[in-house]
Every structure is written in structure tokens, then in C-alpha cells.
Amino acid sequence: MNLQVDLREENSVQHFKVIGEIDAFTAPELREALSEFASEQGLRAEIDLSDVEYMDSTGLGVFVGFFKQVKENGGHVKITGLSQRLKRLFDITGLNEVMDIETQKDEGGLDDATV
């Protein structure tokens, strides 16, 4: 199982692009990548999960820890690109109520249209 975390900065926002699977084996790598910035005063971070194929509760724990630390330091975290499956994880745990979350745009096109 592989995990890749790409980072770029744009307009004073740290953009993290996470690719792969987030589970007990890969979560430490994600935690390490995020922790380099978590204590930065006033950090503005955007985490793109559109290329995450799988995430378990270990991954949620990483995001909760990062979110709490960034918030304590006056910053903001936005999570983007959630698939319906990942969105459900955030919904079930209630994290969607406390975190800034944006789901993937509808890619279905006319699939839902009545003919």
C-alpha cells in the first residue's frame, strides 16, 4: 500500500494533495507530512483527498489531530475532493459538523436526469 503527499503553496495557503490509501500502515507517513506545518501560527491548509481510494479510522484520527493543532494556533483547515464513501466516514463520525469539508463535484453528468 502506497501513500503520496504532494505539497505546494499558493496565495499563502498550503495545498496538500494526498494520493493512495490511508490506513494503519500509511497514516504515520501522512501524520509526518502534515505535522511539519501543524504548529505554524495562522496556517491556512487545504487537503485534497480526490485521489484517496480508501481511508479507515486511523486516517480520520490523523485529520482530527491536525485540525485540532492548526485550530489551536489560529489556523484553518479545509478538506476537499471527498468521494461519497469518504464523505460518509466524516458524516458518520460527526466530523463534517466541525471541519470545513467540500465533496467532489458531481461527475455523473446526465446519469441522474429523467428522460
Side-chain angles (χ1 to χ4, degrees), residues 3-19:
L3 181 75
Q4 179 180 333
V5 182
D6 295 334
L7 174 67
R8 68 180 169 79
E9 183 177 349
E10 182 179 317
N11 299 327
S12 301
V13 177
Q14 296 293 339
H15 293 269
F16 297 89
K17 173 75 171 172
V18 184
I19 303 166

Side-chain angles (χ1 to χ4, degrees), residues 68-94:
K68 286 172 69 174
Q69 193 169 2
V70 169
K71 189 171 181 174
E72 287 171 2
N73 289 304
H76 181 80
V77 176
K78 181 176 186 175
I79 298 177
T80 65
L82 289 178
S83 65
Q84 286 303 313
R85 172 181 248 163
L86 293 183
K87 181 183 180 313
R88 206 168 346 180
L89 279 175
F90 283 87
D91 290 348
I92 289 170
T93 57

Side-chain angles (χ1 to χ4, degrees), residues 23-91:
D23 58 22
F25 298 105
T26 60
E29 185 179 340
L30 176 61
R31 184 178 293 112
E32 184 178 322
L34 295 175
S35 69
E36 291 181 40
F37 299 90
S39 59
E40 197 174 295
Q41 219 33 54
L43 175 71
R44 292 174 47 211
E46 187 170 303
I47 304 170
D48 180 355
L49 301 181
S50 59
D51 288 327
V52 171
E53 300 145 9
Y54 173 83
M55 181 170 66
D56 65 13
S57 60
T58 313
L60 287 175
V62 171
F63 291 121
V64 168
F66 181 67
F67 173 81
K68 286 172 69 174
Q69 193 169 2
V70 169
K71 189 171 181 174
E72 287 171 2
N73 289 304
H76 181 80
V77 176
K78 181 176 186 175
I79 298 177
T80 65
L82 289 178
S83 65
Q84 286 303 313
R85 172 181 248 163
L86 293 183
K87 181 183 180 313
R88 206 168 346 180
L89 279 175
F90 283 87
D91 290 348

